[in-house]
Amino acid sequence: MLYTLSEGVGKIGSRVMHYAIATLLERELGFQNDAFVLGNLAPDAHQLSGSELKKRSHFMKDDAEGISYVDHRAFYQKYLAVEKDPFHLGYYVHLVADSIWLGDVYFKKVKWLPAEIKQEVKKQYYRDFWRLNGKLIDHYPLELKELCGANYSGVDEISAEALVPLIGELEGDFKNAASVKTEPLEVLELEEVVRTIGKTVETCLPVLKKGMAV
């Protein structure tokens, strides 16, 4: 299944990209915490639901010109200003990653294309997410964790029940990754995806060093 979001929310990364970011941060900090990884995936629990639910889970707002952005600072103030819970830290990392992805990749490659070609490019962009799964799993390399027992700390924006199919979708990403990983990318480039993932890790490391005992 391809990963998509509505135009209003933006097309802001795949489950495997976010999983890679969480794994790299764990490696950098020398800890393993399944609640952190689950939190890092959690904002995408409503990816197949209505646009308003997705905008809510991603803390999306519109600027003065009507351009959507991820307000990760609002999430931080709501959930992390007092207590640095691993699930909430993971959720925050996801929002930072989406913000960086929008600015560095999606806006440059898709958002401002002429209408007559944009729909076709978006289809290619979605296919690239699917093809990138196996490439990223091999590049880092990544191993799938069993996340069903991870602690859910709770956020108002999603329900615990919504996380169950999300975990199953991640398992499907890993299971099917090899089938298309050799196909060439059409819009994205592996190097730019790796670079964007690395930028997210570097951006989030100081926050996690302050917030999580390792």
Side-chain angles (χ1 to χ4, degrees):
M1 175 169 44
L2 292 177
Y3 176 99
T4 65
L5 287 174
S6 72
E7 178 64 13
V9 177
K11 321 301 184 289
I12 43 184
S14 71
R15 288 178 294 268
V16 172
M17 290 179 199
H18 287 293
Y19 189 84
I21 290 166
T23 301
L24 291 173
L25 285 167
E26 284 189 320
R27 291 173 185 170
E28 286 284 344
L29 295 169
F31 77 96
Q32 291 190 4
N33 191 307
D34 290 352
F36 171 75
V37 178
L38 182 61
N40 185 254
L41 298 171
D44 288 340
H46 291 310
Q47 64 175 329
L48 298 179
S49 304
S51 177
E52 288 307 311
L53 284 174
K54 289 180 287 188
K55 290 184 71 172
R56 187 166 182 252
S57 69
H58 283 81
F59 281 71
M60 300 294 294
K61 296 181 180 178
D62 293 337
D63 64 17
E65 298 180 350
I67 305 300
S68 295
Y69 68 96
V70 180
D71 191 356
H72 53 83
R73 294 177 180 85
F75 177 88
Y76 189 96
Q77 288 301 315
K78 181 173 182 179
Y79 291 106
L80 290 169
V82 176
E83 182 181 359
K84 305 299 189 288
D85 174 85
F87 181 90
H88 293 153
L89 283 167
Y91 202 115
Y92 174 78
V93 168
H94 181 117
L95 299 183
V96 172
D98 284 352
S99 182
I100 291 172
W101 182 268
L102 280 173
D104 288 7
V105 181
Y106 181 71
F107 282 1
K108 293 180 179 179
K109 295 221 164 185
V110 181
K111 176 69 174 177
W112 309 115
L113 289 174
E116 60 270 20
I117 66 170
K118 186 174 181 179
Q119 289 303 314
E120 182 57 35
V121 172
K122 283 163 64 177
K123 293 177 183 178
Q124 296 169 347
Y125 176 81
Y126 299 150
R127 291 195 291 265
D128 280 354
F129 277 179
W130 195 235
R131 292 161 176 153
L132 277 164
N133 286 344
K135 300 178 192 296
L136 293 174
I137 289 168
D138 289 346
H139 179 81
Y140 284 110
L142 303 175
E143 294 184 3
L144 182 63
K145 289 186 174 185
E146 174 57 62
L147 296 176
C148 290
N151 291 329
Y152 169 63
S153 299
V155 293
D156 297 334
E157 291 72 23
I158 59 172
S159 66
E161 292 78 14
L163 295 176
V164 176
L166 178 64
I167 293 170
E169 288 160 3
L170 177 68
E171 293 170 351
D173 291 338
F174 271 74
K175 180 180 179 181
N176 298 310
S179 63
V180 293
K181 71 178 181 180
T182 58
E183 294 184 10
L185 301 175
E186 298 176 89
V187 176
L188 301 174
E189 299 173 7
L190 178 60
E191 293 78 9
E192 75 178 333
V193 174
V194 169
R195 183 170 60 250
T196 305
I197 288 173
K199 181 177 179 179
T200 302
V201 170
E202 292 177 4
T203 301
C204 293
L205 269 174
V207 177
L208 296 186
K209 286 179 179 178
K210 291 179 181 179
M212 185 176 288
V214 298

